[in-house]
Amino acid sequence: MSQTDPFRATRALFDLPDGLVYLDGNSLGALPKSVGRRVADVISGEWGRSLIGAWNSAGWVDLPRRVGDRVGRLIGAPAGTVTMGDTLSIKVYQALAAALDLKPDRRVILSDTGNFPTDLYMAEGLIASLGRGHELRVVEPEAVEAAIDESVAAVMLTQVDYRTGRLHDMAALTARSHAAGALTIWDLAHSAGALPVDVSGAGADFAVGCTYKYLNGGPGAPAFIFVAPHLAANVRPALSGWFGHDAPFAFEPAYRPAAGVERMRVGTPPILALAALDAALDVWDGIDMGTVRARSIALGELFVREVRTGVPDLELASPADPAARGSQVSFRHTQGYAVMQALIAEGVIGDYRAPDIMRFGFTPLYLGEEEVRRGAAVLVDILRTGRWDTPDFRRRNRVT
Amino acid sequence: MSQTDPFRATRALFDLPDGLVYLDGNSLGALPKSVGRRVADVISGEWGRSLIGAWNSAGWVDLPRRVGDRVGRLIGAPAGTVTMGDTLSIKVYQALAAALDLKPDRRVILSDTGNFPTDLYMAEGLIASLGRGHELRVVEPEAVEAAIDESVAAVMLTQVDYRTGRLHDMAALTARSHAAGALTIWDLAHSAGALPVDVSGAGADFAVGCTYKYLNGGPGAPAFIFVAPHLAANVRPALSGWFGHDAPFAFEPAYRPAAGVERMRVGTPPILALAALDAALDVWDGIDMGTVRARSIALGELFVREVRTGVPDLELASPADPAARGSQVSFRHTQGYAVMQALIAEGVIGDYRAPDIMRFGFTPLYLGEEEVRRGAAVLVDILRTGRWDTPDFRRRNRVT
């Protein structure tokens, strides 16, 4: 990792507390410096000066499309195939409802135990609403491929497992799904901005994701949805809101879907949040995802090596092969919660997922080799000294 | 309107361009001065300093409930019965899906032609998804009461007509609905912050609304939903997202709804937008809605009087009785679009709704008698001189 690498420049674009080792960008990305100024401009300059007129004069109406195109570039989606808004849960619902509608003779939604719970919950809610006997079939990640058969309407997967980081092969599973006549819905929450993604190349039908992890859009930032162009015009929007109408300001009594992916817009777009995200996306200008991936793997491998050199018996929960995982590394520890509290108390921020997972995310845009070494060293020291296990520490951190 | 009125103080809390007569707070509320500082603090202080830890340390997790309680006070909802998030379209969908689920033997959704189109569109989408032969029955506003019968599952109405300002009697129509065994869904988009609302006193089952109009939450600000306490625990959430789960951070594989209205939360809450709204709601501290209503009526009546004195034949589209309308006044004019462009060009901001409605909203918190007189005078002068109708004006403003 030379001194002339592109990430020296991107690191300077982020505002991070001095001395913090932030290994949780896979949960909430760090703050790009440009966000505060942009949001302040939108509030005082656009809203405050132009008021209602800003919907046109400041281009608010088109912001979901413009931001969608910027996200699209990072996931291999052509211009005009991604739009923004709502939350990932809502976008999962829209994609799944559309997919089931396109496959009226099939009743199975196939997913896996590595999917993020809200995706499964939204499927449950949709199935109950439809009341037509759909089944949510959840298998182990390794069993997905074999479970794709001609009963399956939609294969709904998160590409990168939020706990272990295990990475699905999007192209292969999409091809397998299509061969069985099923549609695919890819949740890219832990993929977008984390590794090269090519929804077009993979032939994905739908893709959704959040933007507050690797895309650094801020807490609760708007979600994205991609619909393959050949499907978009045939999709019936279950959440048929006025901003997805072909003519929102004609105030027609009946719904007519907009052309293409714009029909996946629902209500009035969240302008402050979209502006924050739009500013946050500036840090990706000129960045090649292949370069990000190479550095992400180097940082993850460095972390694993340093930790296992110090604590050889700590169990890696992630695939050992970096090509088989996303941009995170997870370890198992029966007292993972307490260990993570001790780490956080010493300025190394990862997170914990029940029952025993300690997660560490690698975000090359603002995380360097020195911080990764330091994070690993603190983890090793905590585990060797057992200082997460003193009565005083446990009391102060409410570890039970 | 004396010099010692409470609205002198509230006017000072808003940032409005000098000289502008802003009569469109019913579409996008003006900017409260406290919003910019609060959002900047959340971005740089909370997100930037505490990163992922701010979900707990800055109370982000509970923000929808805390803001919901503040909105609740303005609509007569007890603490713990309102939550925030998403958009009004999504909240309409949730309420309607829940209502239909509670009335499985009925097939009619009753609404009126004065409802905002997105409410009708969302109902259309839900009906198509359910595929169980529900009917969206849309009658004239005056015909609603007579149309409530025992086929009706849900009466879904916007209390204040977005075009004419015509006000429904929430208590009477709710009582009538309950007598027929139907549930009510009240859209308070043009009510919350505009006039006294008492969802509890009226016995409303569900109420929803946006917060970017009279509540000044900013463009695309989060929506609210109220569920009557006796129903909340029995409601099945159609949009069953992880933040509506009883234990979102337990990451359980199956959905279990949270207690009460919290189950109407869906995905990760939009923190920047909620913080903006929270700051905007500060201007309501200590404000009595009865006082706001009295001033709103006085301003509306003044506007009507001044306009009709100058242009006696201009047709009032709103009810002449101010008690029968919300906080807006609308006039009809066949060239309403062009006239509105001329008004805007001269710094008087209202808006136009096809085919012939010119709308003017009254927001006592930041709008005074002098501005209302000035707005009326400019409208009268434009109509008398016909200067909206010159070829040059029409060309510059793209009036066809």
Side-chain angles (χ1 to χ4, degrees):
Chain A
M1 299 176 195
S2 82
Q3 293 292 89
T4 58
D5 73 72
F7 300 114
R8 286 176 61 86
T10 59
R11 172 68 184 82
L13 300 175
F14 286 87
D15 188 6
L16 274 161
D18 288 340
L20 195 75
V21 176
Y22 192 62
L23 304 177
D24 209 12
N26 52 313
S27 191
L28 178 65
L31 169 62
K33 288 177 180 168
S34 60
V35 168
R37 191 174 52 247
R38 170 69 181 277
V39 174
D41 286 349
V42 170
I43 291 174
S44 63
E46 296 176 8
W47 176 14
R49 295 299 94 190
S50 302
L51 292 134
I52 190 68
W55 280 104
N56 292 312
S57 67
W60 291 350
V61 165
D62 292 328
L63 200 51
R65 184 183 50 73
R66 283 184 283 123
V67 174
D69 282 347
R70 300 186 78 184
V71 171
R73 184 184 80 78
L74 300 173
I75 61 167
T81 64
V82 174
T83 192
M84 310 298 302
D86 309 297
T87 62
L88 176 50
S89 298
I90 296 289
K91 294 300 163 202
V92 166
Y93 189 88
Q94 289 182 283
L96 194 54
L100 297 186
D101 199 59
L102 289 168
K103 295 287 176 185
D105 299 328
R106 297 183 175 208
R107 286 291 175 273
V108 175
I109 300 166
L110 179 65
S111 191
D112 72 14
T113 57
N115 207 344
F116 191 73
T118 205
D119 297 37
L120 304 177
Y121 302 162
M122 294 304 289
E124 268 190 71
L126 177 63
I127 288 170
S129 287
L130 297 179
R132 290 201 279 281
H134 285 91
E135 175 199 347
L136 175 61
R137 190 174 294 167
V138 180
V139 300
E140 293 300 310
E142 299 72 22
V144 168
E145 187 169 357
I148 300 170
D149 62 27
E150 297 191 354
S151 69
V152 176
V155 178
M156 175 183 81
L157 297 168
T158 297
Q159 190 190 14
V160 177
D161 186 308
Y162 75 107
R163 282 168 309 196
T164 66
R166 188 256 327 118
L167 178 64
H168 272 309
D169 184 333
M170 186 189 295
L173 288 173
T174 299
R176 178 80 190 77
S177 300
H178 289 173
L183 295 164
T184 55
I185 298 163
W186 288 101
D187 179 338
L188 304 178
H190 292 266
S191 307
L195 60 146
V197 177
D198 185 1
V199 293
S200 281
D205 301 298
F206 300 90
V208 297
C210 66
T211 61
Y212 48 75
K213 298 179 185 292
Y214 295 93
L215 299 181
N216 312 303
F224 65 84
I225 184 166
F226 158 82
V227 181
H230 72 281
L231 291 178
N234 301 317
V235 158
R236 186 186 61 76
L239 303 177
S240 41
W242 71 311
F243 265 87
H245 192 284
D246 192 49
F249 295 96
F251 302 101
E252 296 173 5
Y255 182 74
R256 284 192 297 117
V261 76
E262 296 283 310
R263 65 183 60 188
M264 293 310 224
R265 292 174 66 165
V266 186
T268 306
I271 297 304
L272 304 188
L274 281 167
L277 172 59
D278 194 30
L281 291 172
D282 289 350
V283 300
W284 295 97
D285 286 348
I287 297 291
D288 169 64
M289 283 309 306
T291 311
V292 172
R293 176 64 167 163
R295 175 64 66 93
S296 153
I297 287 177
L299 293 174
E301 286 294 274
L302 171 65
F303 188 74
V304 171
R305 202 161 54 237
E306 294 284 310
V307 169
R308 301 196 82 176
T309 299
V311 191
D313 59 343
L314 190 66
E315 184 188 348
L316 187 66
S318 303
D321 175 5
R325 64 181 188 241
S327 196
Q328 74 180 66
V329 164
S330 304
F331 289 101
R332 289 188 203 284
H333 191 288
T334 53
Q335 296 299 316
Y337 176 75
V339 174
M340 187 54 72
Q341 294 306 305
L343 266 170
I344 292 170
E346 299 187 30
V348 177
I349 314 298
D351 62 22
Y352 167 79
R353 288 291 176 263
D356 61 0
I357 297 273
M358 299 188 292
R359 296 198 306 182
F360 303 94
F362 302 95
T363 48
L365 266 56
Y366 54 83
L367 186 76
E369 182 182 336
E370 191 278 322
E371 288 156 310
V372 170
R373 285 186 193 279
R374 190 144 44 96
V378 174
L379 175 58
V380 165
D381 198 53
I382 283 171
L383 289 171
R384 281 186 172 170
T385 62
R387 64 178 175 270
W388 55 271
D389 200 22
T390 66
D392 180 58
F393 178 84
R394 295 173 73 94
R395 190 172 55 250
R396 277 186 290 115
N397 288 281
R398 298 179 196 175
V399 176
T400 52
Chain B
M1 300 177 192
S2 82
Q3 293 292 87
T4 60
D5 72 72
F7 300 114
R8 285 177 60 87
T10 59
R11 173 67 183 82
L13 300 174
F14 286 87
D15 188 5
L16 275 162
D18 288 340
L20 195 75
V21 176
Y22 193 62
L23 304 177
D24 208 14
N26 52 313
S27 191
L28 178 66
L31 169 63
K33 288 177 181 170
S34 60
V35 168
R37 192 173 51 248
R38 172 69 180 279
V39 174
D41 286 349
V42 170
I43 291 174
S44 63
E46 296 176 9
W47 176 15
R49 296 299 94 191
S50 303
L51 292 134
I52 190 70
W55 280 103
N56 293 311
S57 66
W60 290 350
V61 165
D62 292 328
L63 200 51
R65 184 182 50 75
R66 284 185 282 123
V67 174
D69 283 347
R70 301 187 77 183
V71 172
R73 184 183 80 77
L74 300 173
I75 61 167
T81 63
V82 174
T83 194
M84 310 298 302
D86 308 297
T87 61
L88 176 51
S89 299
I90 295 289
K91 295 298 163 202
V92 165
Y93 188 88
Q94 289 182 283
L96 194 53
L100 297 186
D101 199 60
L102 290 167
K103 295 288 176 186
D105 299 328
R106 296 183 176 209
R107 287 290 175 275
V108 174
I109 301 165
L110 180 65
S111 191
D112 72 13
T113 57
N115 208 343
F116 191 74
T118 204
D119 297 39
L120 305 177
Y121 301 161
M122 295 305 288
E124 266 189 72
L126 177 63
I127 288 170
S129 287
L130 297 179
R132 292 201 277 282
H134 285 90
E135 174 199 348
L136 175 61
R137 190 175 293 166
V138 180
V139 301
E140 292 300 309
E142 300 71 23
V144 168
E145 187 169 358
I148 300 170
D149 62 28
E150 298 191 354
S151 70
V152 175
V155 178
M156 175 184 81
L157 298 169
T158 297
Q159 190 189 15
V160 177
D161 186 308
Y162 74 107
R163 282 168 307 195
T164 66
R166 187 251 332 116
L167 178 65
H168 273 310
D169 184 334
M170 186 188 296
L173 288 174
T174 299
R176 178 80 190 80
S177 299
H178 289 173
L183 295 164
T184 55
I185 298 164
W186 287 100
D187 179 339
L188 304 177
H190 292 266
S191 306
L195 62 149
V197 177
D198 185 1
V199 292
S200 281
D205 301 298
F206 300 90
V208 296
C210 65
T211 62
Y212 49 76
K213 298 178 184 292
Y214 295 93
L215 299 181
N216 312 303
F224 65 83
I225 183 165
F226 158 83
V227 182
H230 73 281
L231 292 178
N234 302 318
V235 158
R236 186 185 64 75
L239 302 177
S240 42
W242 72 309
F243 265 87
H245 192 283
D246 193 48
F249 294 96
F251 302 99
E252 297 173 5
Y255 182 75
R256 284 191 298 116
V261 76
E262 297 282 311
R263 66 183 59 188
M264 295 310 225
R265 292 173 66 164
V266 186
T268 306
I271 298 304
L272 304 188
L274 280 167
L277 172 60
D278 194 30
L281 291 172
D282 290 350
V283 301
W284 294 97
D285 286 349
I287 298 291
D288 169 64
M289 282 310 305
T291 311
V292 172
R293 176 64 167 162
R295 175 63 66 93
S296 154
I297 286 176
L299 293 174
E301 285 293 274
L302 172 64
F303 188 74
V304 171
R305 202 162 54 239
E306 295 284 311
V307 170
R308 301 196 82 175
T309 300
V311 190
D313 59 345
L314 190 65
E315 184 188 349
L316 187 66
S318 303
D321 175 6
R325 64 181 188 240
S327 197
Q328 75 180 66
V329 164
S330 303
F331 290 101
R332 289 188 203 282
H333 191 288
T334 53
Q335 296 297 317
Y337 176 74
V339 174
M340 186 55 71
Q341 294 307 306
L343 268 170
I344 291 169
E346 298 187 30
V348 178
I349 315 298
D351 62 21
Y352 167 78
R353 288 291 176 264
D356 59 359
I357 297 274
M358 298 187 292
R359 297 198 305 183
F360 303 94
F362 301 95
T363 49
L365 266 58
Y366 55 83
L367 186 76
E369 182 183 336
E370 190 277 324
E371 288 156 310
V372 171
R373 285 187 193 279
R374 190 144 42 95
V378 174
L379 176 58
V380 166
D381 199 52
I382 284 172
L383 289 170
R384 281 186 172 169
T385 62
R387 63 177 176 271
W388 55 272
D389 200 22
T390 66
D392 181 56
F393 178 84
R394 295 173 74 95
R395 190 172 55 249
R396 277 187 291 116
N397 288 280
R398 299 178 196 176
V399 176
T400 52

